[in-house]
Amino acid sequence: MNLEQWFDTRNTLHQIEHAIADQLQHTSEPMTLNAFYVMHYLAQAQGKPLTVNEISAYIGLSQSATSRMLHQFEASCQVIEKHKALPIGVP
């Protein structure tokens, strides 16, 4: 892939993301694209506990931004449940 093809691919991806984000804002439960990504990732996890670090890496947000988003989910729609982390070395 040459540089021009990469730019074309990147531009296409940006257009698709913008279209999805626009559609998500016009639903009965509007949400951001990042919120959608988190919800999708949580659904794929099928109840497996995930860390903020794992979710943050998946969606490409800082840990702080991801933590704020998860706190909003926890408070507003109860789609997640927070658990305290076990100390290192504890199974």
Side-chain angles (χ1 to χ4, degrees):
M1 177 181 290
N2 66 35
L3 190 56
E4 287 302 316
Q5 290 172 321
W6 183 82
F7 280 123
D8 289 343
T9 301
R10 187 174 150 262
N11 186 40
T12 300
L13 178 59
H14 180 71
Q15 290 174 353
I16 292 168
E17 286 180 336
H18 182 74
I20 293 170
D22 187 54
Q23 289 298 311
L24 289 170
Q25 289 301 310
H26 294 93
T27 62
S28 60
E29 297 289 331
M31 69 174 62
T32 66
L33 185 57
N34 283 332
F36 175 79
Y37 286 150
V38 169
M39 298 297 284
H40 174 72
Y41 191 51
L42 292 173
Q44 295 300 309
Q46 299 180 351
K48 174 187 167 248
L50 299 169
T51 66
V52 173
N53 292 347
E54 291 171 315
I55 296 170
S56 179
Y58 177 76
I59 62 175
L61 288 179
S62 69
Q63 290 178 9
S64 177
T66 302
S67 183
R68 285 192 303 271
M69 183 185 300
L70 293 174
H71 180 72
Q72 289 173 348
F73 284 165
E74 186 180 24
S76 65
C77 53
Q78 290 112 24
V79 296
I80 65 166
E81 183 178 301
K82 190 185 302 185
H83 295 272
K84 292 195 183 249
L86 294 173
I88 295 174
V90 176

